[in-house]
Amino acid sequence: MDFAAILAAARRADAAYIIDPAQSKAAFEQLGHLWIGQYRDHDSQAVLSHDSQGVYLSISGTRFSAGKLGDLLDDIDTYPVSLSDGVQVTRGAYEGCDDIWKWAKAQVPADTVFNVEGHSLGGWRATYTPLFLPAAQIGVLHAFEPPKGANLAYFQKYSAELARLVVVGNGADVWFGYPRLDGRWIHRPGEMLHLLPAGYRIIDTSAWPGGLDLGDHDIDLIVNRLAVLAAAPAATA
């Protein structure tokens, strides 16, 4: 597992929360990226950047501390949206994606491969990437502490497109198990990285032990834990 690459994605996901465009630009430049631009509206925010390795769409999580109530309403709205082939996704997170992707695709050449990451609501939306891009344009995806955003039919239909999705849960995070009362919503079946106070483990998403810790739903804590793992010997083993 390439902890250095996961850490880099987590740092971009963290920087995606910054609302002020000048500060956002400075933060991405500090990460070694060329800041292409920022998309921002009442319930969505994302940054497009690139480095020598490719183009990155970093989607912000819920900006609740900044008073962006539209983000919170998207979190709450888990009403099912039915797509083709029995696919269902949650409405609030899904409906905010279309404008993000229209903006992002207008900034770069038509055949651009996008690497996508996000934390919380941003990770939720990152898992919907196959709904907006053909398989050939999907790079590496990172979802940090995303809630459960789709039904089994979705993950079966887009299994190839999501093969490079890295799902990261942290500690006893309260929101990784959300929504809790509707069994149709799941995480991508397969391996996930579960960060622990000391170390990590690889488990199937269905084996997530649950938790009620609000403090563990913290992208800064994830960055700190990943930094320790990335600095350890054989971090990419």
Side-chain angles (χ1 to χ4, degrees), residues 140-230:
V140 181
L141 310 176
H142 289 85
F144 299 96
E145 299 188 305
K148 297 177 287 186
N151 66 352
L152 179 60
Y154 173 80
F155 292 110
Q156 289 175 331
K157 180 174 181 178
Y158 296 108
S159 60
E161 291 86 345
L162 294 172
R164 300 177 72 191
L165 169 64
V166 179
V167 179
V168 180
N170 182 52
D173 171 33
V174 66
W175 294 112
F176 192 80
Y178 174 83
R180 302 179 187 278
L181 302 180
D182 190 335
R184 91 186 78 188
W185 306 127
I186 63 172
H187 289 292
R188 191 275 315 273
E191 290 186 346
M192 63 168 283
L193 171 63
H194 184 197
L195 299 175
L196 302 169
Y200 70 95
R201 59 181 184 157
I202 305 297
I203 59 174
D204 191 272
T205 55
S206 64
W208 170 253
L212 297 173
D213 194 325
L214 288 169
D216 279 347
H217 192 72
D218 184 343
I219 186 61
D220 291 323
L221 178 58
I222 288 174
V223 167
N224 290 339
R225 288 181 173 176
L226 286 169
V228 172
L229 295 174

Side-chain angles (χ1 to χ4, degrees), residues 10 13 38 43 48 53 55 61 64 68 92 118 121 125 143 161 171-172 176 184 200 207 217 221 226 236:
Q38 181 194 64
D43 69 347
L48 198 62
Q53 304 301 310
V55 172
F64 181 69
K68 304 296 183 181
L121 177 59
R125 288 173 164 162
E161 291 86 345
F176 192 80
R184 91 186 78 188
Y200 70 95
H217 192 72
L221 178 58
L226 286 169
T236 60

